[in-house]
Amino acid sequence: CDIKGLCINRMPLNGILINQGGYHRIFGCFIGTDIAGTTDLGNGSDGIVIVSSVNNSIGLLPTYSCTNRNVISGNGLNGVEMMDIGLSCSDNILQNNHIGVDANGSAAIPNDRDGVKLDGAFVSGNYVGSTAAPKPVNVISGNRTNGVYIYQGSVNYVLGNHIGVNRRGDGPVGNMLNGVWITNASSCVVGDTSGEARNIISGNGDNGVVIGGLGTAGNFVYGNYIGVASNGLAPIPNGSHGVLLTTWC
C-alpha cells in the first residue's frame, strides 16, 4: 500500500499502525501536525508504529522533496516506533522525514518521548537514514526524550541524519536527553567510515551517543560530527558527554 499526501492528527491512539505484513510506503504526510506542518495537533500515541512488519519505507528519496517528506511531530509517545511480537521487524527504512520539528526543520514540535524508537529482540536490520544524497536524510530533533533509542535487536543502522540540530545543521533544536541511545543491543552502526553517511549529533540536552547495558556489544560509531555544526567547525555542544560507554543504562 501507498499512503501519500495525508494529514493525520488528533487520533486517540496512533496516527498509522502497520501490523505485520509489509512492503508499504508512507510519504508526503503530516502526522501529528496541521497541513502546514507548523502547529501541534498530536495523535495520542505514536505517529507511526510498525509491529513485526518488514520492508516498509517511511519517506522516499532520491529527491529531498517536500512531496516525499513526512512531518512526524507533536505525538503523545514516539514519532516512529518499530517493535516486535516475537516475529521479525526488519528491513524497514526511514528517510527524508522531519521528526520532532516543523516542516521547515527549524523549530521544535516535540514528540513526547523518542523521535525514533526501535524496541525488541527481533527488531533488526533496519535503517534510520541511509547513505543516499542529498543530506540530511532525516531531521530528528526537538523530542522530549531521545532522538533515536535502540533497545535490544541487532544490526540496525543510523546514517546521515541531523539529530539535535536544524535542517541546515547550523543551530540547535536539541532532543531533551540523548541524541542516540543504544542499550542491550549489538552490532549497530552509527555513521560510516567514509563520512558520506555521517550524522550530525549536536545540541542535545544530555549526551551525543550513549552505548551500554547488558548484552550490548560490537556496536560502531564512525565518522560523525558530535557537538559541532555540519561544517565541522562551529560548536553546538551536547549537554554532557559526546560519546558515553557505560555498563549501566
Side-chain angles (χ1 to χ4, degrees):
C1 297
D2 276 1
I3 299 174
K4 176 184 178 182
L6 302 182
C7 184
I8 303 173
N9 58 49
R10 293 170 288 186
M11 297 297 106
L13 295 179
N14 306 293
I16 298 174
L17 166 63
I18 300 175
N19 187 10
Q20 302 181 66
Y23 294 89
H24 308 302
R25 304 191 305 176
I26 301 169
F27 56 102
C29 294
F30 295 87
I31 302 172
T33 71
D34 66 347
I35 196 63
T38 58
T39 300
D40 184 342
L41 298 174
N43 299 291
S45 295
D46 293 327
I48 299 173
V49 59
I50 301 171
V51 181
S52 289
S53 181
V54 300
N55 289 103
N56 298 289
S57 296
I58 311 302
L60 294 182
L61 292 177
T63 57
Y64 192 53
S65 164
C66 61
T67 60
N68 290 335
R69 179 191 310 135
N70 298 297
V71 177
I72 310 169
S73 301
N75 297 288
L77 295 179
N78 309 290
V80 178
E81 181 174 7
M82 301 181 199
M83 59 183 292
D84 72 70
I85 50 172
L87 300 170
S88 178
C89 186
S90 64
D91 299 300
N92 300 293
I93 183 167
L94 276 66
Q95 53 189 351
N96 196 8
N97 301 287
H98 285 182
I99 302 174
V101 293
D102 65 1
N104 294 321
S106 58
I109 304 179
N111 295 293
D112 285 349
R113 292 194 183 173
D114 303 313
V116 179
K117 182 178 183 180
L118 279 60
D119 184 3
F122 296 94
V123 180
S124 299
N126 300 287
Y127 286 79
V128 180
S130 75
T131 60
K135 300 295 187 301
V137 176
N138 298 294
V139 180
I140 308 172
S141 300
N143 298 287
R144 289 206 167 97
T145 53
N146 306 286
V148 179
Y149 177 38
I150 301 175
Y151 176 70
Q152 300 183 326
S154 61
V155 200
N156 292 295
Y157 297 86
V158 182
L159 305 174
N161 305 288
H162 284 188
I163 303 174
V165 295
N166 61 23
R167 177 180 167 183
R168 296 184 303 274
D170 60 5
V173 190
N175 299 290
M176 290 186 69
L177 295 182
N178 307 293
V180 179
W181 184 12
I182 299 171
T183 182
N184 297 343
S186 61
S187 302
C188 295
V189 179
V190 181
D192 75 336
T193 53
S194 71
E196 290 299 313
R198 72 166 55 93
N199 301 283
I200 313 301
I201 309 173
S202 303
N204 299 288
D206 201 352
N207 306 288
V209 179
V210 181
I211 301 175
L214 297 174
T216 302
N219 298 287
F220 299 90
V221 181
Y222 291 135
N224 303 285
Y225 286 172
I226 300 176
V228 295
S230 57
N231 62 10
L233 298 172
I236 306 178
N238 297 292
S240 295
H241 306 286
V243 178
L244 172 62
L245 307 180
T246 177
T247 57
W248 178 88
C249 262

